[in-house]
Amino acid sequence: MSPFLPDAVRHHAARRPDAPAVTEGTRTLTYAQLDRRSSRVARALLAAGLPRGARVGYLVRPGVLSAELLVGCAKAGLVATPLNWRLAEPELVAVARDAELGMVLTQREFRSGARAARAALPGVPLVTDAGADADADEHDYEQWVAAADGADPGAGTEDAVFLQLYTSGTTGLPKGVQLTLRNVSAGDFQLREMGWTETSVALNAMPVFHIAGTGWLVTALSAGAHTVMLPDLVPQTVVDVMERHRVTHAFFVPAMLHLLTALPGIRERDFSALRLIVYGASPITPALLRRSMEVFGCGFYQKYGQTETTGSATRLLPDDHVVDGPRSTLLRSAGNTRQDVEVAVADPVTGEPVAPGVVGEILTRSHHVTPGYWKRPAENAALFTADGWLKTGDAGYLDPDGYLFITDRIKDMVITGGENVYPVEVESVLAEHPAVLDVAVFGTPHEKWGEAVTAAVVLRPAAEPVTAEDLIDFTRGRIASYKKPRIVHVVDELPRNPSGKVLKRVLRDDLATGAEGS
């Protein structure tokens, strides 16, 4: 079987037509239905006059519609461009213009943003699921699909761009990361490594404008598994769905694991069908990882990567998730490389490789790496080395056994008194304090030290009273003195982007003038 998405859907539709492919709520598409409907979507897109390679923007939650659009675009040789519906309208318009969208599709609840995007792109068709409520100049999705020829156009090649995802945009305008079918493909060895079978049931609770959401769907469809998609990421609903559908495979960002493991009665729920939880997209503390392993009682598999690497660079296998003993230190690592990926660490200034144990910039090279940003030649030139390695912007080191340890984003490194401090080290220590529920560490300006190591801490509701000085004292002897926080802020919650990453820039701006021990 070909590992590429359209052929995988065709393969399972021909061999197992009645097997469930995608479920949203009470609606399920079999593989045969997904194959037929995605072909109609592809034909409808081409009938609208879109040339091969045109960008198709859509504002939809995870569900049946998002699956149809993704596979349909791939079959038509068009570029699926899922849009972040959490953006403000001016931000959404900026992304739509940058992508030069040839069509916009939307669900009813996002019509305001879709109309704003379409208004900025005169002549671009707008398709909505609003039914009879659709305006005269809008196409109703179901009628639009039903009117199309159902023959599979069979377009698109594995090396053509078929997906464009916009980076989180924590600073500046988000960039469109181009990905090919080959970039996103899940090889047979990876499916075996993660225990996928045609009887697997995958939970997809991630937005499709994030590589985790779209990549997880592609992997499950490639395996012929049944994907249960959740339009809303509500912790109680997630647990209910896992029990009801006997979910075997789930992907969660650490922020969701944090919420799930804090649910009342979570340890009494039935997760006996669960075989694997894959986690990634943002750092995880060893304390949260241990708690999650206790609650769910299944295998855990970490993926380290970014949108530019299709979420794939290294992985920490279930056998490496050892809680006690000398190998327990691997819980702080991002694992080692898969057979189809290369990873190296280089001096960020000279570009020269560094020795094991020495922190530098993480580089990667594989067929999963993006061909580049959409229409960003300057950024593309800075993204790659002369010999084709992608510069991740992450700092870390390789140990003698080839395990990768992420220290932080290079730009998030705190330089205090001439010493480099990587926030993850400090966060991991503070997270071990019994009163700490969530924590983020960053640098704030300091007249004497240049930057002060600063922590924003969310306390557990039922925790014993604790002061900033108590938390600072807790770090003494656990990390070097220069790494301990000089300022601690107690906050109600940490600001995060849609992928669960803490927005340290927001914290830095809001708390830069805070007093020590506040």
Side-chain angles (χ1 to χ4, degrees):
M1 184 192 79
S2 168
F4 304 119
L5 175 64
D7 285 342
V9 172
R10 294 174 183 124
H11 170 86
H12 293 297
R15 200 170 68 82
R16 304 164 51 243
D18 296 326
V22 181
T23 291
E24 176 192 351
T26 58
R27 184 186 180 194
T28 296
L29 289 186
T30 66
Y31 271 94
Q33 290 169 328
L34 177 60
D35 188 38
R36 287 195 299 270
R37 284 186 63 86
S38 60
S39 292
R40 284 192 176 276
V41 169
R43 286 289 183 179
L45 290 167
L46 295 174
L50 297 183
R52 299 285 166 83
R55 270 65 185 162
V56 177
Y58 49 91
L59 281 157
V60 301
R61 291 184 182 273
V64 168
L65 179 55
S66 63
E68 291 179 354
L69 291 172
L70 181 68
V71 180
C73 285
K75 286 183 173 182
L78 300 170
V79 182
T81 309
L83 303 172
N84 184 347
W85 36 263
R86 293 183 173 127
L87 295 177
E89 284 189 8
E91 297 173 304
L92 192 58
V93 167
V95 169
R97 283 177 170 153
D98 183 80
E100 300 175 1
L101 298 178
M103 177 172 280
V104 178
L105 300 99
T106 185
Q107 289 175 316
R108 184 192 304 255
E109 63 180 306
F110 306 127
R111 275 200 298 176
S112 176
R115 286 168 174 168
R118 196 265 298 268
L121 301 164
V124 168
L126 177 60
V127 180
T128 174
D129 70 349
D133 292 334
D135 286 354
D137 61 343
E138 298 172 356
H139 303 280
D140 172 64
Y141 179 77
E142 287 299 333
Q143 293 180 3
W144 178 73
V145 171
D149 182 348
D152 188 335
T157 62
E158 56 264 30
D159 291 317
V161 173
F162 97 105
L163 180 63
Q164 187 158 306
L165 298 175
Y166 276 80
T167 54
S168 302
T170 54
T171 58
L173 180 69
K175 298 184 287 290
V177 180
Q178 303 178 99
L179 298 170
T180 68
L181 285 168
R182 185 182 297 276
N183 289 154
V184 185
S185 65
D188 288 339
F189 78 91
Q190 185 184 3
L191 298 179
R192 289 194 302 271
E193 185 175 86
M194 299 172 74
W196 288 98
T197 70
E198 293 177 347
T199 62
S200 298
V201 181
L203 176 70
N204 196 328
M206 292 294 294
V208 295
F209 53 77
H210 189 279
I211 185 57
T214 294
W216 191 240
L217 175 61
V218 171
T219 299
L221 291 176
S222 298
H226 176 198
T227 298
V228 181
M229 303 191 78
L230 292 181
D232 294 299
L233 226 173
V234 180
Q236 187 62 57
T237 304
V238 168
V239 174
D240 292 343
V241 166
M242 290 173 74
E243 282 189 327
R244 185 184 323 126
H245 288 280
R246 305 289 292 166
V247 166
T248 63
H249 290 67
F251 184 102
F252 295 123
V253 296
M256 179 50 61
L257 287 172
H258 169 75
L259 293 173
L260 290 174
T261 56
L263 278 176
I266 187 66
R267 294 176 186 268
E268 284 71 55
R269 303 302 291 265
D270 179 11
F271 301 117
S272 57
L274 196 58
R275 297 290 175 263
L276 190 72
I277 287 179
V278 180
Y279 63 98
S282 60
I284 189 169
T285 63
L288 174 57
L289 183 54
R290 290 191 189 99
R291 188 165 72 248
S292 301
M293 292 166 66
E294 291 172 3
V295 166
F296 293 106
C298 64
F300 274 70
Y301 183 111
Q302 180 186 164
K303 293 186 76 172
Y304 160 69
Q306 48 196 207
T307 307
E308 291 85 345
T309 66
T310 324
S312 300
T314 63
R315 82 282 196 253
L316 188 67
L317 296 171
D319 288 347
D320 288 327
H321 284 73
V322 180
V323 174
D324 298 310
R327 296 188 74 244
S328 64
T329 57
L330 293 180
L331 292 183
R332 296 181 182 272
S333 81
N336 51 17
T337 56
R338 300 189 340 220
Q339 66 185 50
D340 59 347
V341 179
E342 295 176 272
V343 168
V345 177
D347 185 295
V349 177
T350 67
E352 293 297 316
V354 298
V358 177
V359 173
E361 182 171 16
I362 300 166
L363 311 178
T364 184
R365 186 167 59 182
S366 75
H367 70 81
H368 297 291
V369 168
T370 175
Y373 299 120
W374 166 250
K375 294 195 171 182
R376 296 292 184 94
E379 285 90 338
N380 287 334
L383 183 62
F384 296 98
T385 67
D387 50 354
W389 291 85
L390 180 137
K391 295 184 281 187
T392 66
D394 287 334
Y397 65 90
L398 288 166
D399 76 1
D401 296 321
Y403 284 83
L404 180 67
F405 288 77
I406 314 295
T407 50
D408 228 300
R409 293 291 290 174
I410 286 178
K411 64 181 177 63
D412 284 338
M413 181 179 69
V414 182
I415 304 177
T416 179
E419 297 284 358
N420 295 343
V421 177
Y422 292 97
V424 167
E425 295 180 88
V426 188
E427 290 165 354
S428 295
V429 172
L430 286 171
E432 299 286 344
H433 192 286
V436 173
L437 183 64
D438 209 357
V439 59
V441 171
F442 48 94
T444 54
H446 192 281
E447 183 177 357
K448 179 178 180 181
W449 303 109
E451 284 187 298
V453 179
T454 303
V457 172
V458 180
L459 298 178
R460 296 184 181 278
E464 292 291 325
V466 64
T467 66
E469 192 59 41
D470 291 335
L471 295 173
I472 294 170
D473 284 342
F474 182 77
T475 67
R476 300 181 197 277
R478 291 177 167 86
I479 50 175
S481 179
Y482 69 85
K483 296 180 181 180
K484 72 180 189 296
R486 294 180 176 274
I487 302 170
V488 174
H489 297 272
V490 175
V491 298
D492 293 332
E493 62 180 356
L494 301 180
R496 298 179 184 273
N497 71 7
S499 67
K501 294 180 182 178
V502 175
L503 297 173
K504 293 187 178 181
R505 172 179 55 82
V506 173
L507 287 170
R508 192 178 293 114
D509 292 345
D510 289 348
L511 303 177
T513 58
E516 183 167 342
S518 62

